[in-house]
mmCIF file of all heavy atoms in Angstrom:
data_model
loop_
_atom_site.group_PDB
_atom_site.id
_atom_site.type_symbol
_atom_site.label_atom_id
_atom_site.label_comp_id
_atom_site.label_asym_id
_atom_site.label_seq_id
_atom_site.Cartn_x
_atom_site.Cartn_y
_atom_site.Cartn_z
ATOM 1 N N GLU A 154 9.628 11.854 0.607
ATOM 2 C CA GLU A 154 8.941 13.136 0.421
ATOM 3 C C GLU A 154 9.149 13.554 -1.030
ATOM 4 O O GLU A 154 10.275 13.830 -1.437
ATOM 5 C CB GLU A 154 9.501 14.215 1.345
ATOM 6 C CG GLU A 154 8.896 15.601 1.074
ATOM 7 C CD GLU A 154 9.643 16.725 1.768
ATOM 8 O OE1 GLU A 154 10.267 16.474 2.816
ATOM 9 O OE2 GLU A 154 9.594 17.868 1.258
ATOM 10 N N VAL A 155 8.080 13.570 -1.801
ATOM 11 C CA VAL A 155 8.162 14.029 -3.187
ATOM 12 C C VAL A 155 8.251 15.543 -3.148
ATOM 13 O O VAL A 155 7.288 16.228 -2.811
ATOM 14 C CB VAL A 155 6.942 13.564 -4.003
ATOM 15 C CG1 VAL A 155 7.040 14.088 -5.432
ATOM 16 C CG2 VAL A 155 6.853 12.042 -4.005
ATOM 17 N N TYR A 156 9.420 16.065 -3.494
ATOM 18 C CA TYR A 156 9.675 17.496 -3.356
ATOM 19 C C TYR A 156 9.235 18.282 -4.591
ATOM 20 O O TYR A 156 8.768 19.413 -4.481
ATOM 21 C CB TYR A 156 11.163 17.719 -3.084
ATOM 22 C CG TYR A 156 11.536 19.161 -2.841
ATOM 23 C CD1 TYR A 156 11.072 19.834 -1.706
ATOM 24 C CD2 TYR A 156 12.336 19.854 -3.741
ATOM 25 C CE1 TYR A 156 11.409 21.154 -1.480
ATOM 26 C CE2 TYR A 156 12.675 21.176 -3.517
ATOM 27 C CZ TYR A 156 12.216 21.827 -2.398
ATOM 28 O OH TYR A 156 12.540 23.139 -2.174
ATOM 29 N N SER A 157 9.391 17.692 -5.761
ATOM 30 C CA SER A 157 8.968 18.332 -7.007
ATOM 31 C C SER A 157 8.783 17.247 -8.054
ATOM 32 O O SER A 157 8.904 16.053 -7.747
ATOM 33 C CB SER A 157 10.010 19.358 -7.482
ATOM 34 O OG SER A 157 11.200 18.713 -7.884
ATOM 35 N N ILE A 158 8.509 17.637 -9.283
ATOM 36 C CA ILE A 158 8.261 16.657 -10.334
ATOM 37 C C ILE A 158 9.484 15.785 -10.587
ATOM 38 O O ILE A 158 9.364 14.637 -11.032
ATOM 39 C CB ILE A 158 7.818 17.355 -11.647
ATOM 40 C CG1 ILE A 158 7.286 16.336 -12.658
ATOM 41 C CG2 ILE A 158 8.957 18.176 -12.242
ATOM 42 C CD1 ILE A 158 6.661 16.954 -13.877
ATOM 43 N N ASP A 159 10.685 16.297 -10.268
ATOM 44 C CA ASP A 159 11.902 15.524 -10.561
ATOM 45 C C ASP A 159 12.830 15.355 -9.353
ATOM 46 O O ASP A 159 13.983 14.973 -9.506
ATOM 47 C CB ASP A 159 12.680 16.170 -11.710
ATOM 48 C CG ASP A 159 13.146 17.587 -11.389
ATOM 49 O OD1 ASP A 159 12.684 18.141 -10.379
ATOM 50 O OD2 ASP A 159 13.972 18.126 -12.147
ATOM 51 N N GLU A 160 12.330 15.608 -8.144
ATOM 52 C CA GLU A 160 13.151 15.490 -6.942
ATOM 53 C C GLU A 160 12.371 14.821 -5.817
ATOM 54 O O GLU A 160 11.167 15.034 -5.674
ATOM 55 C CB GLU A 160 13.600 16.863 -6.442
ATOM 56 C CG GLU A 160 14.619 17.572 -7.298
ATOM 57 C CD GLU A 160 14.967 18.928 -6.712
ATOM 58 O OE1 GLU A 160 14.134 19.846 -6.802
ATOM 59 O OE2 GLU A 160 16.069 19.064 -6.145
ATOM 60 N N ALA A 161 13.088 14.064 -5.007
ATOM 61 C CA ALA A 161 12.475 13.454 -3.825
ATOM 62 C C ALA A 161 13.525 13.261 -2.740
ATOM 63 O O ALA A 161 14.680 12.910 -3.020
ATOM 64 C CB ALA A 161 11.838 12.116 -4.172
ATOM 65 N N PHE A 162 13.116 13.515 -1.490
ATOM 66 C CA PHE A 162 13.960 13.222 -0.342
ATOM 67 C C PHE A 162 13.589 11.835 0.188
ATOM 68 O O PHE A 162 12.403 11.499 0.262
ATOM 69 C CB PHE A 162 13.754 14.250 0.770
ATOM 70 C CG PHE A 162 14.353 15.600 0.489
ATOM 71 C CD1 PHE A 162 13.544 16.663 0.105
ATOM 72 C CD2 PHE A 162 15.719 15.809 0.611
ATOM 73 C CE1 PHE A 162 14.077 17.910 -0.153
ATOM 74 C CE2 PHE A 162 16.269 17.059 0.355
ATOM 75 C CZ PHE A 162 15.455 18.115 -0.027
ATOM 76 N N LEU A 163 14.604 11.059 0.567
ATOM 77 C CA LEU A 163 14.376 9.736 1.142
ATOM 78 C C LEU A 163 14.954 9.688 2.550
ATOM 79 O O LEU A 163 16.057 10.204 2.799
ATOM 80 C CB LEU A 163 15.047 8.648 0.294
ATOM 81 C CG LEU A 163 14.758 8.632 -1.218
ATOM 82 C CD1 LEU A 163 15.505 7.471 -1.869
ATOM 83 C CD2 LEU A 163 13.274 8.528 -1.484
ATOM 84 N N ASP A 164 14.228 9.077 3.466
ATOM 85 C CA ASP A 164 14.731 8.839 4.817
ATOM 86 C C ASP A 164 15.401 7.463 4.817
ATOM 87 O O ASP A 164 14.733 6.443 4.638
ATOM 88 C CB ASP A 164 13.576 8.873 5.817
ATOM 89 C CG ASP A 164 14.065 8.757 7.257
ATOM 90 O OD1 ASP A 164 15.262 8.483 7.463
ATOM 91 O OD2 ASP A 164 13.244 8.938 8.173
ATOM 92 N N LEU A 165 16.715 7.441 4.996
ATOM 93 C CA LEU A 165 17.469 6.182 4.926
ATOM 94 C C LEU A 165 17.804 5.634 6.309
ATOM 95 O O LEU A 165 18.780 4.906 6.482
ATOM 96 C CB LEU A 165 18.755 6.392 4.117
ATOM 97 C CG LEU A 165 18.564 6.885 2.681
ATOM 98 C CD1 LEU A 165 19.893 6.871 1.938
ATOM 99 C CD2 LEU A 165 17.538 6.047 1.938
ATOM 100 N N LYS A 166 16.988 5.993 7.281
ATOM 101 C CA LYS A 166 17.190 5.477 8.635
ATOM 102 C C LYS A 166 17.120 3.951 8.617
ATOM 103 O O LYS A 166 16.174 3.353 8.099
ATOM 104 C CB LYS A 166 16.114 6.039 9.565
ATOM 105 C CG LYS A 166 16.287 5.632 11.026
ATOM 106 C CD LYS A 166 15.206 6.265 11.894
ATOM 107 C CE LYS A 166 15.388 5.881 13.355
ATOM 108 N NZ LYS A 166 14.325 6.496 14.205
ATOM 109 N N GLY A 167 18.132 3.331 9.173
ATOM 110 C CA GLY A 167 18.163 1.873 9.230
ATOM 111 C C GLY A 167 18.898 1.225 8.075
ATOM 112 O O GLY A 167 19.175 0.017 8.112
ATOM 113 N N VAL A 168 19.207 1.987 7.038
ATOM 114 C CA VAL A 168 19.953 1.443 5.900
ATOM 115 C C VAL A 168 21.430 1.370 6.283
ATOM 116 O O VAL A 168 22.034 2.375 6.660
ATOM 117 C CB VAL A 168 19.770 2.319 4.640
ATOM 118 C CG1 VAL A 168 20.623 1.780 3.500
ATOM 119 C CG2 VAL A 168 18.300 2.361 4.239
ATOM 120 N N MET A 169 22.030 0.200 6.164
ATOM 121 C CA MET A 169 23.398 -0.006 6.623
ATOM 122 C C MET A 169 24.423 0.414 5.567
ATOM 123 O O MET A 169 25.282 1.247 5.821
ATOM 124 C CB MET A 169 23.603 -1.477 7.014
ATOM 125 C CG MET A 169 22.658 -1.957 8.117
ATOM 126 S SD MET A 169 22.828 -0.994 9.650
ATOM 127 C CE MET A 169 24.483 -1.431 10.130
ATOM 128 N N LYS A 170 24.346 -0.168 4.394
ATOM 129 C CA LYS A 170 25.310 0.120 3.329
ATOM 130 C C LYS A 170 24.757 1.229 2.435
ATOM 131 O O LYS A 170 24.159 0.981 1.384
ATOM 132 C CB LYS A 170 25.595 -1.147 2.525
ATOM 133 C CG LYS A 170 26.204 -2.268 3.363
ATOM 134 C CD LYS A 170 26.467 -3.510 2.531
ATOM 135 C CE LYS A 170 27.099 -4.620 3.363
ATOM 136 N NZ LYS A 170 27.333 -5.847 2.550
ATOM 137 N N LEU A 171 24.961 2.471 2.876
ATOM 138 C CA LEU A 171 24.338 3.623 2.216
ATOM 139 C C LEU A 171 24.786 3.789 0.774
ATOM 140 O O LEU A 171 23.965 4.042 -0.115
ATOM 141 C CB LEU A 171 24.642 4.892 3.017
ATOM 142 C CG LEU A 171 23.980 4.998 4.392
ATOM 143 C CD1 LEU A 171 24.599 6.146 5.189
ATOM 144 C CD2 LEU A 171 22.479 5.212 4.235
ATOM 145 N N ASN A 172 26.078 3.662 0.524
ATOM 146 C CA ASN A 172 26.591 3.875 -0.835
ATOM 147 C C ASN A 172 26.066 2.806 -1.787
ATOM 148 O O ASN A 172 25.606 3.119 -2.897
ATOM 149 C CB ASN A 172 28.115 3.887 -0.832
ATOM 150 C CG ASN A 172 28.687 4.497 -2.105
ATOM 151 O OD1 ASN A 172 28.656 5.712 -2.289
ATOM 152 N ND2 ASN A 172 29.190 3.660 -2.998
ATOM 153 N N GLN A 173 26.125 1.549 -1.360
ATOM 154 C CA GLN A 173 25.658 0.460 -2.212
ATOM 155 C C GLN A 173 24.154 0.553 -2.443
ATOM 156 O O GLN A 173 23.666 0.315 -3.558
ATOM 157 C CB GLN A 173 26.001 -0.893 -1.574
ATOM 158 C CG GLN A 173 25.741 -2.091 -2.488
ATOM 159 C CD GLN A 173 26.542 -2.026 -3.770
ATOM 160 O OE1 GLN A 173 27.753 -1.805 -3.740
ATOM 161 N NE2 GLN A 173 25.879 -2.177 -4.902
ATOM 162 N N PHE A 174 23.417 0.913 -1.391
ATOM 163 C CA PHE A 174 21.968 1.103 -1.523
ATOM 164 C C PHE A 174 21.664 2.161 -2.578
ATOM 165 O O PHE A 174 20.788 1.982 -3.430
ATOM 166 C CB PHE A 174 21.369 1.511 -0.177
ATOM 167 C CG PHE A 174 19.921 1.897 -0.241
ATOM 168 C CD1 PHE A 174 18.922 0.938 -0.125
ATOM 169 C CD2 PHE A 174 19.544 3.229 -0.432
ATOM 170 C CE1 PHE A 174 17.575 1.299 -0.185
ATOM 171 C CE2 PHE A 174 18.212 3.592 -0.497
ATOM 172 C CZ PHE A 174 17.220 2.629 -0.379
ATOM 173 N N SER A 175 22.397 3.283 -2.539
ATOM 174 C CA SER A 175 22.157 4.386 -3.470
ATOM 175 C C SER A 175 22.514 4.007 -4.894
ATOM 176 O O SER A 175 21.789 4.332 -5.838
ATOM 177 C CB SER A 175 22.965 5.614 -3.031
ATOM 178 O OG SER A 175 22.615 6.011 -1.725
ATOM 179 N N VAL A 176 23.628 3.298 -5.047
ATOM 180 C CA VAL A 176 24.037 2.857 -6.388
ATOM 181 C C VAL A 176 22.999 1.901 -6.973
ATOM 182 O O VAL A 176 22.613 2.015 -8.141
ATOM 183 C CB VAL A 176 25.423 2.186 -6.339
ATOM 184 C CG1 VAL A 176 25.749 1.512 -7.676
ATOM 185 C CG2 VAL A 176 26.506 3.211 -5.999
ATOM 186 N N ASP A 177 22.531 0.958 -6.159
ATOM 187 C CA ASP A 177 21.524 -0.009 -6.624
ATOM 188 C C ASP A 177 20.212 0.689 -6.978
ATOM 189 O O ASP A 177 19.566 0.346 -7.977
ATOM 190 C CB ASP A 177 21.262 -1.065 -5.548
ATOM 191 C CG ASP A 177 22.458 -1.977 -5.331
ATOM 192 O OD1 ASP A 177 23.356 -1.992 -6.200
ATOM 193 O OD2 ASP A 177 22.500 -2.672 -4.282
ATOM 194 N N LEU A 178 19.813 1.675 -6.153
ATOM 195 C CA LEU A 178 18.570 2.406 -6.412
ATOM 196 C C LEU A 178 18.674 3.196 -7.708
ATOM 197 O O LEU A 178 17.735 3.212 -8.516
ATOM 198 C CB LEU A 178 18.264 3.332 -5.238
ATOM 199 C CG LEU A 178 16.956 4.129 -5.308
ATOM 200 C CD1 LEU A 178 15.758 3.189 -5.361
ATOM 201 C CD2 LEU A 178 16.830 5.068 -4.111
ATOM 202 N N ARG A 179 19.799 3.849 -7.906
ATOM 203 C CA ARG A 179 20.014 4.617 -9.133
ATOM 204 C C ARG A 179 19.959 3.700 -10.367
ATOM 205 O O ARG A 179 19.354 4.046 -11.388
ATOM 206 C CB ARG A 179 21.358 5.334 -9.079
ATOM 207 C CG ARG A 179 21.655 6.193 -10.291
ATOM 208 C CD ARG A 179 22.983 6.916 -10.127
ATOM 209 N NE ARG A 179 23.217 7.831 -11.229
ATOM 210 C CZ ARG A 179 23.834 7.493 -12.359
ATOM 211 N NH1 ARG A 179 24.281 6.252 -12.516
ATOM 212 N NH2 ARG A 179 23.996 8.384 -13.315
ATOM 213 N N THR A 180 20.579 2.535 -10.252
ATOM 214 C CA THR A 180 20.570 1.577 -11.358
ATOM 215 C C THR A 180 19.157 1.106 -11.658
ATOM 216 O O THR A 180 18.750 0.994 -12.823
ATOM 217 C CB THR A 180 21.465 0.369 -11.018
ATOM 218 O OG1 THR A 180 22.803 0.833 -10.766
ATOM 219 C CG2 THR A 180 21.486 -0.626 -12.167
ATOM 220 N N ARG A 181 18.389 0.841 -10.600
ATOM 221 C CA ARG A 181 17.015 0.354 -10.778
ATOM 222 C C ARG A 181 16.145 1.400 -11.469
ATOM 223 O O ARG A 181 15.390 1.076 -12.385
ATOM 224 C CB ARG A 181 16.425 -0.010 -9.414
ATOM 225 C CG ARG A 181 15.117 -0.810 -9.493
ATOM 226 C CD ARG A 181 14.585 -1.118 -8.114
ATOM 227 N NE ARG A 181 15.635 -1.638 -7.253
ATOM 228 C CZ ARG A 181 15.878 -1.211 -6.022
ATOM 229 N NH1 ARG A 181 15.146 -0.245 -5.496
ATOM 230 N NH2 ARG A 181 16.845 -1.749 -5.306
ATOM 231 N N VAL A 182 16.244 2.656 -11.048
ATOM 232 C CA VAL A 182 15.449 3.719 -11.680
ATOM 233 C C VAL A 182 15.815 3.853 -13.152
ATOM 234 O O VAL A 182 14.948 3.948 -14.023
ATOM 235 C CB VAL A 182 15.662 5.065 -10.957
ATOM 236 C CG1 VAL A 182 15.001 6.202 -11.732
ATOM 237 C CG2 VAL A 182 15.101 5.013 -9.545
ATOM 238 N N GLY A 183 17.115 3.835 -13.449
ATOM 239 C CA GLY A 183 17.553 3.956 -14.836
ATOM 240 C C GLY A 183 17.103 2.794 -15.694
ATOM 241 O O GLY A 183 16.676 2.974 -16.843
ATOM 242 N N LYS A 184 17.164 1.585 -15.136
ATOM 243 C CA LYS A 184 16.794 0.387 -15.893
ATOM 244 C C LYS A 184 15.297 0.302 -16.123
ATOM 245 O O LYS A 184 14.838 -0.100 -17.200
ATOM 246 C CB LYS A 184 17.284 -0.854 -15.139
ATOM 247 C CG LYS A 184 17.114 -2.155 -15.901
ATOM 248 C CD LYS A 184 17.737 -3.317 -15.135
ATOM 249 C CE LYS A 184 17.604 -4.633 -15.914
ATOM 250 N NZ LYS A 184 18.229 -5.765 -15.167
ATOM 251 N N TRP A 185 14.497 0.681 -15.137
ATOM 252 C CA TRP A 185 13.048 0.518 -15.227
ATOM 253 C C TRP A 185 12.343 1.689 -15.914
ATOM 254 O O TRP A 185 11.220 1.529 -16.403
ATOM 255 C CB TRP A 185 12.458 0.309 -13.840
ATOM 256 C CG TRP A 185 12.841 -1.006 -13.220
ATOM 257 C CD1 TRP A 185 13.683 -1.953 -13.737
ATOM 258 C CD2 TRP A 185 12.406 -1.524 -11.959
ATOM 259 N NE1 TRP A 185 13.814 -3.013 -12.892
ATOM 260 C CE2 TRP A 185 13.036 -2.788 -11.782
ATOM 261 C CE3 TRP A 185 11.576 -1.056 -10.961
ATOM 262 C CZ2 TRP A 185 12.835 -3.577 -10.646
ATOM 263 C CZ3 TRP A 185 11.373 -1.837 -9.821
ATOM 264 C CH2 TRP A 185 11.988 -3.081 -9.671
ATOM 265 N N THR A 186 12.963 2.865 -15.915
ATOM 266 C CA THR A 186 12.293 4.024 -16.521
ATOM 267 C C THR A 186 13.097 4.684 -17.637
ATOM 268 O O THR A 186 12.535 5.411 -18.446
ATOM 269 C CB THR A 186 12.008 5.112 -15.457
ATOM 270 O OG1 THR A 186 13.253 5.669 -15.000
ATOM 271 C CG2 THR A 186 11.226 4.550 -14.285
ATOM 272 N N GLY A 187 14.405 4.465 -17.661
ATOM 273 C CA GLY A 187 15.242 5.135 -18.649
ATOM 274 C C GLY A 187 15.673 6.527 -18.231
ATOM 275 O O GLY A 187 16.341 7.231 -18.990
ATOM 276 N N ILE A 188 15.296 6.937 -17.015
ATOM 277 C CA ILE A 188 15.627 8.284 -16.522
ATOM 278 C C ILE A 188 16.885 8.220 -15.654
ATOM 279 O O ILE A 188 16.901 7.516 -14.640
ATOM 280 C CB ILE A 188 14.466 8.874 -15.693
ATOM 281 C CG1 ILE A 188 13.190 8.961 -16.531
ATOM 282 C CG2 ILE A 188 14.845 10.259 -15.156
ATOM 283 C CD1 ILE A 188 13.264 9.904 -17.706
#
């Protein structure tokens, strides 16, 4: 759910390793966009 220009909610139902998933996602966004 895109909540605003700089925020989004994600449904992580079914994701097992929540912390690792979040760390990897954060790294990917930073690497691909610089944000």
Side-chain angles (χ1 to χ4, degrees):
E154 174 192 333
V155 179
Y156 183 66
S157 68
I158 192 172
D159 61 348
E160 290 179 287
F162 287 103
L163 309 181
D164 185 351
L165 301 188
K166 184 178 181 180
V168 177
M169 301 301 294
K170 299 180 179 179
L171 292 168
N172 197 75
Q173 189 60 50
F174 173 87
S175 301
V176 170
D177 292 344
L178 183 61
R179 182 178 185 271
T180 301
R181 193 181 313 132
V182 172
K184 187 175 182 179
W185 292 3
T186 67
I188 301 296

